[in-house]
Amino acid sequence: MFIATLIASETLAAGDLSAALDRLAAAGCAPATSAWLEPDTAVDILFGVAPDAARAALEGVFPGVDIVVQRAEGREKRLIVADMDSTMITVECIDELADYAGIKPQIAAITEAAMRGELDFEGALDARVALLAGLDEAVIARCLAERVTIMPGAIALVGTMRARGATAILVSGGFTRFAEPVAAQIGFHRAIANRLELGGGVLTGRVTKPIVGSDTKLQTLRAATAELGLLPEQTLAVGDGANDLAMIRAAGLGVAYHAKPVVSAAAAARIDHGDLSALLYAQGIARAQWVEP
């Protein structure tokens, strides 16, 4: 059996559930029962066959509503591997550092192209960090305090999954000076990220090799899955950029979160409207069961 979960960023309109049932029936998916995870916000529809047809029948139909279609068995995950910038936090840290250096448009354009998959990530990171050479090290702490905001739903997502026995790992193509405090604030077990090289109290314009990129994210997912004795189906990966694609494709539930088009097109699930708490509903965890700050 399969489940289609409708998750509203605001409120499911009257008749949305019945319309969804009708569309699934018309697509030959054999809808059976439905159950609310949160009244007027999130609902599960159990159906028998044709998950691809179900996704096609439901996605983009209901304004402000995200659709997650998956197997009913094993939908609650035991491992989450997550990207940081524009996923667990609301900004791209390197772009914000560049703003303090007065070159944000130049660096942000490279970041955007890399996240769309138009540039090699490692080369693009080297190029951007090189432009920051000479920036005062103190700016890192200032940027963390002034610019970095936790993504809505992140703390509830990770806290609830951990309380239910899951492991949470943050893997970022960004920098440890941001990833480590962010991971601690949200509640991740550990963080993996790149190290900015410093000298004489300023950025040298270099990043320690090897660079944490797409392959590191994929290998982290695989290694943690093996270490924990899990099946791939028991894992969740979430990110927004091209360097997240490999882990998203390999996870049991790979989620494109407010993602670039190349990522959205390849992911098994997309969250385009709601916040990260949508991933709790996607796992069948009702609002009353969330662990919230």
Side-chain angles (χ1 to χ4, degrees), residues 88-143:
M88 287 289 149
I89 61 176
T90 61
V91 297
E92 295 285 336
C93 290
I94 194 167
D95 294 355
E96 299 309 311
L97 284 176
D99 199 22
Y100 290 97
I103 55 172
K104 183 173 182 177
Q106 183 177 351
I107 284 187
I110 301 173
T111 301
E112 180 68 17
M115 291 301 98
R116 291 196 305 259
E118 297 168 1
L119 296 174
D120 169 71
F121 177 80
E122 287 78 4
L125 184 63
D126 275 335
R128 286 175 290 165
V129 172
L131 293 171
L132 296 176
L135 187 65
D136 193 319
E137 178 185 0
V139 170
I140 298 174
R142 183 180 171 192
C143 183

Side-chain angles (χ1 to χ4, degrees), residues 220-248:
T220 297
L221 174 69
R222 288 176 171 170
T225 301
E227 179 184 342
L228 295 167
L230 302 177
L231 297 172
E233 291 79 12
Q234 295 175 288
T235 66
L236 165 65
V238 57
D240 73 301
N243 63 327
D244 300 313
L245 265 176
M247 72 171 183
I248 285 173

Side-chain angles (χ1 to χ4, degrees), residues 17-32:
L17 175 57
S18 61
L21 288 165
D22 290 345
R23 294 185 69 87
L24 288 172
C29 300

